[in-house]
């Protein structure tokens, strides 16, 4: 009975998140267009005739459209995952496998119905793309999300501690589980937009452009400050992965040298795979920085094990105020705001692109991979606000309000800089990133410190 009540609560949470995801998809698939809202009334018979002709017709797309196809697939993976969570039966259901299979089937049927309904609605909002290719991509994405949820539930039941995350009494295992999730997300992000070369001609074209790509620095066409920030982010992104490799299975801790060697193999394999991505720019400098980040993660764990973590937290709190000014200077520099050349508010308003004020429009006019990287970049810019809030004992809602206000100031200032344009979406992304960071930081710190405190012998391990 307790299990069933807990599952009902979980179902309701998944349902709430799924509804939010569904509304976001409907809005971005209809309201947001190249000219903004463009609703064109149609007779029902005409709409149905056009729908049958377009939504059930496969079109041979070129390689340049593969990234968009993969983007549509990826978009529906979280949609399917959340929908499966909203419908999944409790472990008391009998027979369990049959109930889970029924829930998975119902979730996919509902997801496909949703996809078809959205495609039909798009006929009223030209020039949205309606074709079988994207119906298939989104259906596959939803199926993958549903399958991922089912696999995660199966693994939780198969684990000796079957209560899932909250049943993992060993903080080391909790930390490893969280880091595994981060590592998987990082691998997918590195390989975005997943538009791999599939034909011999495409492979030869990729090999032809590799010599120029591998020796370029990330962001070579950007300002030196942005380029330096990208290089630093490339190294820091793999620090958690290095920590994961250091925390080996069965309570074993690997040495920094072993972590660096293992990590180099992982990152090299991932780099080689990225050379097959049509839209990627596989740089050797990026590979080197990722390996450096892995080593930093391993050495960071070793260093933490020599520290009094409670005293370290006190020092971080006492110095957080002093770190705020360098953070703000870096934030303004990355956004191109350290300048003496400005427009007047009237000039900025006159030169602004009005459609850019429509939420999600700036994500619509670029590729889905570019939009995803833009979201991640803004999230990373404002996540430190959540860290500052946690260090100073502020509520996550304070972090949300502070980061959103700061992002609003930054984006308005970008409108007033010649050659730059603000992004209204950054305000929401900044607030959410800071809020989530402030929420998870206490748990992250407890996990890390409990692992450090719980293994004093690791200080001498090799």
């Amino acid at each position: 009975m307790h299990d069933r009540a807990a599952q009902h609560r979980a179902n309701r949470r998944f349902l709430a998140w799924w509804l939010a995801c569904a509304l976001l998809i409907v809005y971005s698939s209809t309201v947001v267009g190249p000219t903004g809202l463009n609703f064109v009334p149609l007779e029902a018979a005409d709409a149905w005739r056009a729908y049958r002709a377009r939504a059930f017709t496969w079109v041979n797309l070129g390689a340049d459209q593969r990234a968009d196809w993969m983007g549509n697939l990826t978009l529906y993976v979280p949609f399917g995952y959340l929908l499966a969570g909203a419908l999944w039966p409790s472990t008391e259901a009998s027979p369990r496998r049959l109930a889970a299979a029924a829930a998975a089937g119902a979730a996919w049927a509902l997801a496909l119905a949703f996809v078809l309904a959205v495609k039909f609605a798009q006929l009223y909002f030209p020039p949205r793309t309606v074709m079988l290719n994207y119906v298939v991509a989104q259906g596959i994405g939803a199926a993958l999300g549903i399958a991922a949820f089912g696999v995660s539930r199966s693994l939780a039941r198969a684990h000796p501690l079957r209560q899932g995350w909250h049943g993992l009494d060993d903080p080391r295992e909790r930390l490893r589980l969280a880091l595994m999730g981060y590592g998987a997300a990082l691998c997918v992000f590195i390989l975005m937009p997943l538009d791999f070369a599939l034909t011999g001609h495409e492979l030869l074209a990729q090999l032809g452009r590799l010599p120029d790509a591998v020796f370029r620095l990330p962001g070579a066409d950007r300002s030196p400050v942005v380029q330096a920030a990208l290089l630093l982010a490339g190294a820091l992104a793999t620090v958690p992965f290095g920590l994961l490799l250091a925390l080996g299975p069965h309570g074993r801790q690997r040495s920094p040298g072993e972590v660096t060697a293992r990590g180099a193999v992982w990152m090299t394999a991932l780099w080689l795979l990225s050379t097959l991505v049509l839209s990627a720019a596989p740089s050797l400098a990026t590979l080197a920085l990722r390996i450096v980040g892995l080593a930093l993660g391993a050495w960071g764990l070793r260093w933490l094990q020599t520290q009094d973590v409670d005293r370290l937290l006190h020092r971080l709190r006492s110095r957080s105020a002093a770190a705020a000014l360098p953070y703000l200077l870096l934030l303004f520099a990355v956004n191109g705001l350290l300048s003496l050349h400005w427009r007047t508010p009237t000039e900025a308003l006159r030169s602004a692109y009005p459609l850019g004020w429509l939420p999600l429009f700036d994500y619509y006019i670029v590729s889905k991979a570019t939009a995803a990287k833009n979201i991640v970049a803004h999230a990373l810019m404002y996540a430190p606000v959540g860290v500052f809030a946690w260090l100073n004992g502020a509520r996550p809602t304070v972090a949300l309000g502070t980061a959103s206000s700061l992002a609003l100031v930054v984006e308005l200032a970008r409108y007033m800089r010649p050659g730059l344009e603000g992004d209204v979406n950054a305000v929401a992304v900044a607030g959410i990133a800071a809020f989530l960071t402030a929420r998870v930081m206490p748990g992250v710190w407890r996990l890390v410190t409990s692992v450090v405190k719980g293994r004093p012998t690791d200080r001498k391990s090799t």
Side-chain angles (χ1 to χ4, degrees):
M1 186 64 69
H2 173 74
D3 176 76
R4 184 169 298 176
Q7 184 62 44
H8 286 333
R9 289 193 296 271
N11 290 147
R12 287 195 295 270
R13 287 195 296 271
F14 276 112
L15 179 61
W17 282 107
W18 176 78
L19 287 173
C21 182
L23 288 173
L24 188 64
I25 289 176
V26 170
Y27 170 80
S28 61
S29 300
T30 55
V31 175
V32 182
T35 59
L37 177 62
N38 183 36
F39 176 77
V40 177
L42 292 174
E43 292 291 338
D46 294 336
W48 178 247
R49 188 161 43 251
Y51 183 66
R52 287 188 299 171
R54 296 168 59 184
F56 300 100
T57 300
W58 184 268
V59 179
N60 291 323
L61 299 175
D64 59 327
Q65 297 297 312
R66 193 171 300 147
D68 191 51
W69 192 88
M70 289 301 303
N72 276 274
L73 186 152
T74 306
L75 177 65
Y76 272 79
V77 172
F79 177 91
Y81 187 93
L82 295 172
L83 182 55
L87 300 177
W88 213 255
S90 68
T91 56
E92 295 177 358
S94 180
R96 183 185 301 167
R97 291 185 178 178
L98 181 59
W108 191 76
L110 286 173
L112 188 59
F114 179 86
V115 169
L116 293 173
V118 170
K119 289 301 174 188
F120 185 78
Q122 286 183 319
L123 293 172
Y124 293 85
F125 297 87
R128 304 306 300 235
T129 304
V130 180
M131 65 175 68
L132 182 60
N133 305 57
Y134 293 112
V135 173
V136 171
Q138 292 165 1
I140 293 174
L144 290 176
I146 295 166
F149 186 87
V151 170
S152 67
R153 289 301 299 267
S154 297
L155 291 176
R157 287 199 304 270
H159 197 280
L161 296 168
R162 298 188 179 188
Q163 302 301 317
W165 173 267
H166 296 289
L168 290 174
D169 297 325
D170 185 357
R172 181 188 182 87
E173 289 304 311
R174 282 193 174 193
L175 182 58
R176 289 187 75 243
L177 182 62
L179 291 172
M180 285 179 187
Y182 174 85
L186 178 64
C187 290
V188 173
F189 183 78
I190 289 173
L191 296 175
M192 286 187 68
L194 305 174
D195 54 336
F196 293 98
L198 300 179
T199 67
H201 177 73
E202 292 169 1
L203 288 172
L204 289 175
Q206 282 294 98
L207 292 175
R209 73 183 187 91
L210 274 183
D212 293 331
V214 296
F215 295 108
R216 290 187 63 190
L217 290 176
D221 56 340
R222 310 290 291 276
S223 69
V225 174
V226 174
Q227 190 173 347
L230 289 174
L231 292 171
L232 179 61
L236 294 180
T238 54
V239 169
F241 195 68
L243 181 58
L244 171 63
L245 293 179
L247 296 171
H250 310 300
R252 177 174 175 261
Q253 180 171 316
R254 299 187 178 102
S255 68
E258 185 180 359
V259 169
T260 304
R262 285 174 173 266
V265 173
W266 274 95
M267 290 299 109
T268 301
L270 193 61
W271 184 85
L272 290 174
L273 190 58
S274 71
T275 63
L276 302 179
V277 178
L278 298 176
S279 304
S283 165
L284 286 175
T286 302
L287 173 61
L289 288 169
R290 288 170 184 163
I291 296 174
V292 169
L294 288 163
L296 287 176
W299 281 108
L301 178 62
R302 180 68 65 88
W303 176 79
L304 274 175
Q305 290 170 340
T306 66
Q307 303 296 308
D308 183 328
V309 290
D310 295 324
R311 186 174 298 177
L312 176 62
L313 179 59
H314 177 74
R315 290 202 304 268
L316 290 173
R317 284 173 172 165
S318 63
R319 296 173 184 176
S320 61
L325 181 59
Y327 163 71
L328 289 174
L329 289 174
L330 180 60
L331 178 66
F332 294 151
V334 168
N335 281 280
L337 301 181
L338 299 183
S339 173
L340 298 177
H341 303 286
W342 296 90
R343 298 186 184 111
T344 65
T346 303
E347 291 172 338
L349 188 62
R350 188 184 307 119
S351 62
Y353 188 48
L355 284 176
W357 301 336
L358 183 68
L360 303 185
F361 178 81
D362 285 342
Y363 297 156
Y364 171 78
I365 60 175
V366 297
S367 68
K368 289 179 172 58
T370 302
K373 292 177 181 179
N374 186 288
I375 292 171
V376 171
H378 281 116
L380 292 176
M381 283 183 200
Y382 295 97
V385 176
V387 177
F388 291 142
W390 166 67
L391 288 173
N392 290 279
R395 293 178 178 274
T397 50
V398 174
L400 186 152
T402 303
S404 297
S405 301
L406 180 58
L408 180 61
V409 171
V410 168
E411 298 308 319
L412 287 176
R414 284 178 61 86
Y415 277 112
M416 297 180 65
R417 276 279 289 120
L420 297 181
E421 188 86 10
D423 183 355
V424 296
N425 305 293
V427 178
V429 173
I432 294 171
F435 176 83
L436 293 177
T437 301
R439 282 288 300 271
V440 304
M441 276 305 300
V444 170
W445 185 259
R446 282 196 301 270
L447 286 177
V448 174
T449 54
S450 60
V451 168
V452 172
K453 289 180 177 180
R455 294 180 57 81
T457 57
D458 284 344
R459 300 183 186 182
K460 301 179 182 180
S461 67
T462 57

